[in-house]
C-alpha cells in the first residue's frame, strides 16, 4: 500500500500528464535565458567523474521539460523538451549562451502533450541529420540540425505500446544502426526494444528484443559509446532523493531476436545534483570520453533544469558483463 501511495503522490507532483495542455505565455527574447554554474558535488559516483554543470533558467514559461540531448557541433548542444520546444546551448565562450525555439509543424500549441512529446534524439556526426522520437503518437522524425524542416517521418511498430508508453530512449551506433527502447513493459518486467539495421524512417522491419534493467530503474535515455557499446541512463523514484540516476553499459553484440539484454551499472549521479535526468549525450575530447545529462523539470517549481558533464573513467570493454539470454526471463 505504501508503494501505491508513493506512486500516486509522485504522479500528481511530476505532472503534466499526457492529455493535459501546457501553460503558455508570450515568447520572451532568448537572451533572457541563462545558465547558472553549479557547485561541485563531493560524493564519488563510480565511473562518473563530475566536471561541471549549470542550472538552466528562463522567464519563458515554456522553458523546461528537457527529455533529449545531443551534441550538434563541438561544444554546442541541442536539448529538446517534451512540449516541442528546444534550447541550443553554446559552450564555446566564457559563459554558456542559450537560444530558444520550437519544432516545425507543431500546429496549435493547445494540442495535448502526448501529440508533441519528444523523448529521445539521435544525430549523425557526418551529416546534417537529427532524429526525434515522439512518445505519444509513436513517430520518428528526421530533421536537419537547424530543426527548420521535417524531412521524413515514420510510425514505429508499436502494437503493444500504450499512449504514454512509447519510445523513451534512442541511440545511433557508430555503424549506423539504431536502438530504440520503449517505456512499455513486456513480460517479466523487461522493456520492449527495437534494433534497426539503418535509418528507421527509411523503412525496414526492426529486430525486436527486450531489456531487463534488473532493478536499476526505468530507462530514461541511451547513447552510443565510442567503442560501440550502449550507455543507458536509468531513473528510480524514492523519497530522499526523489530521483536516483543509475548509469549502466550494455553490449549490442549480445542482442538477438526475442532475447533479453542486460547491462552493468557503472555509476550513480551524486545526490547533491540528483534530479529527473532524461536526456544523455556522449562526447570525446583530447582522448577522453564524457557523459552529458540534462534534466526534465516537468514544469514544476521544485524541480530544476540541469545540464551536467561527467568524465567516464574505467569503462574497459573487457569488464563488460551485460549480455543476452534467449526465451522468457
Amino acid at each position: 500500500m505504501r508503494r501505491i501511495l508513493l506512486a500516486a503522490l509522485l504522479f500528481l507532483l511530476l505532472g503534466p500528464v499526457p492529455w493535459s495542455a501546457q501553460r503558455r505565455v508570450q515568447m520572451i527574447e532568448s537572451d533572457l535565458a541563462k545558465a547558472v554554474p553549479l557547485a561541485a558535488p563531493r560524493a564519488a559516483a563510480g565511473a562518473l567523474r563530475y566536471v561541471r554543470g549549470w542550472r538552466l533558467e528562463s522567464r519563458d514559461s515554456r522553458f523546461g521539460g528537457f527529455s533529449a540531448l545531443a551534441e550538434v557541433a563541438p561544444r554546442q548542444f541541442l536539448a529538446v523538451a517534451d512540449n516541442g520546444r528546444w534550447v541550443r546551448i553554446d559552450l564555446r565562450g566564457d559563459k554558456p549562451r542559450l537560444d530558444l525555439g520550437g519544432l516545425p509543424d507543431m500546429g496549435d500549441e493547445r494540442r495535448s502533450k502526448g501529440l508533441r512529446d519528444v523523448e529521445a534524439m539521435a544525430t549523425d556526426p557526418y551529416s546534417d541529420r537529427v532524429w526525434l522520437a515522439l512518445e505519444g503518437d509513436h513517430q520518428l522524425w528526421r530533421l536537419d540540425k537547424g530543426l527548420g524542416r521535417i524531412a521524413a517521418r515514420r510510425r514505429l511498430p508499436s502494437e503493444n505500446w500504450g499512449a504514454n508508453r512509447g519510445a523513451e530512449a534512442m541511440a545511433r551506433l557508430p555503424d549506423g544502426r539504431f536502438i530504440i527502447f520503449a517505456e512499455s513493459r513486456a513480460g517479466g518486467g523487461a522493456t520492449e526494444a527495437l534494433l534497426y539495421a539503418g535509418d528507421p524512417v527509411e523503412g525496414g522491419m526492426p529486430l525486436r528484443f527486450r531489456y531487463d534493467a534488473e532493478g536499476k530503474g526505468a530507462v530514461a535515455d541511451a547513447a552510443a559509446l565510442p567503442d560501440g557499446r550502449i550507455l543507458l541512463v536509468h531513473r528510480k523514484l524514492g523519497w530522499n532523493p526523489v530521483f536516483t540516476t543509475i548509469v549502466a553499459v550494455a553490449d549490442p553484440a549480445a542482442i538477438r531476436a526475442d532475447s533479453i539484454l542486460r547491462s552493468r551499472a557503472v555509476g550513480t549521479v551524486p545526490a547533491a545534483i540528483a534530479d529527473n535526468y532524461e536526456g544523455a549525450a556522449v562526447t570525446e575530447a583530447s582522448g577522453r570520453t564524457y557523459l552529458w545529462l540534462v534534466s526534465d523539470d516537468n514544469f514544476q517549481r521544485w524541480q530544476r533544469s540541469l545540464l551536467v558533464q561527467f568524465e567516464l573513467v574505467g569503462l574497459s570493454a573487457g569488464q563488460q558483463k551485460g549480455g543476452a539470454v534467449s526465451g522468457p526471463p
Side-chain angles (χ1 to χ4, degrees):
M1 178 60 71
R2 291 181 62 186
R3 290 185 178 180
I4 295 175
L5 292 175
L6 172 60
L9 177 60
L10 289 173
F11 179 81
L12 292 173
L13 287 174
L14 295 182
V17 293
W19 55 85
S20 66
Q22 305 278 341
R23 62 184 185 270
R24 294 284 177 266
V25 298
Q26 181 68 27
M27 185 67 176
I28 297 176
E29 292 82 358
S30 61
D31 59 1
L32 293 184
K34 62 181 180 179
V36 180
L38 297 174
R42 297 180 180 178
L48 307 182
R49 296 290 184 266
Y50 180 81
V51 178
R52 54 183 175 164
W54 300 267
R55 177 169 180 162
L56 310 180
E57 300 178 348
S58 174
R59 290 173 54 192
D60 187 340
S61 67
R62 295 173 294 185
F63 185 89
F66 300 116
S67 54
L69 181 70
E71 185 185 43
V72 293
R75 292 184 290 167
Q76 299 175 67
F77 290 84
L78 174 65
V80 182
D82 57 17
N83 64 352
R85 310 298 298 178
W86 52 256
V87 58
R88 294 187 184 277
I89 308 162
D90 190 338
L91 301 177
R92 292 174 297 174
D94 295 335
K95 60 181 182 179
R97 173 180 170 81
L98 277 59
D99 293 307
L100 312 182
L103 294 174
D105 196 30
M106 296 308 297
D108 189 341
E109 288 199 356
R110 293 172 295 180
R111 295 171 69 197
S112 69
K113 176 179 183 289
L115 297 178
R116 47 191 160 77
D117 187 358
V118 175
E119 290 292 337
M121 174 167 47
T123 62
D124 180 357
Y126 304 107
S127 72
D128 191 38
R129 295 179 292 180
V130 173
W131 292 263
L132 300 178
L134 282 72
E135 181 182 39
D137 56 2
H138 308 306
Q139 284 196 41
L140 278 180
W141 291 3
R142 190 179 70 209
L143 307 89
D144 58 70
K145 288 183 180 177
L147 302 183
R149 183 178 67 90
I150 301 172
R153 65 176 80 190
R154 180 173 293 271
R155 185 175 175 84
L156 291 167
S158 53
E159 298 84 359
N160 300 321
W161 300 356
N164 194 39
R165 295 287 180 179
E168 186 71 21
M170 175 169 57
R172 184 182 186 276
L173 301 180
D175 60 11
R177 292 181 295 166
F178 281 73
I179 297 180
I180 299 172
F181 296 87
E183 190 174 345
S184 178
R185 296 286 178 171
T191 299
E192 293 193 344
L194 307 172
L195 173 62
Y196 283 89
D199 187 343
V201 302
E202 296 295 341
M205 292 302 296
L207 181 150
R208 294 177 181 266
F209 68 100
R210 288 166 288 168
Y211 171 67
D212 187 353
E214 299 180 294
K216 302 179 187 71
V219 176
D221 206 1
L225 291 168
D227 62 10
R229 290 180 295 162
I230 315 166
L231 184 143
L232 292 156
V233 177
H234 305 79
R235 175 185 60 184
K236 292 183 71 173
L237 298 178
W239 283 114
N240 187 24
V242 175
F243 301 102
T244 297
T245 301
I246 299 173
V247 177
V249 175
D251 189 350
I255 296 174
R256 300 289 184 273
D258 300 318
S259 67
I260 298 174
L261 179 70
R262 296 191 170 98
S263 64
R264 175 177 63 92
V266 297
T268 302
V269 171
I273 54 172
D275 218 297
N276 183 32
Y277 293 102
E278 290 202 16
V282 171
T283 65
E284 290 184 281
S286 303
R288 297 182 176 182
T289 304
Y290 298 96
L291 170 64
W292 299 78
L293 297 174
V294 69
S295 66
D296 177 358
D297 67 354
N298 289 298
F299 304 97
Q300 300 293 328
R301 295 183 183 276
W302 63 275
Q303 291 182 248
R304 301 171 293 177
S305 295
L306 302 182
L307 176 67
V308 294
Q309 179 189 15
F310 296 95
E311 183 181 0
L312 294 171
V313 297
L315 294 187
S316 169
Q319 296 176 347
Q320 173 62 31
K321 298 179 181 179
V325 297
S326 299

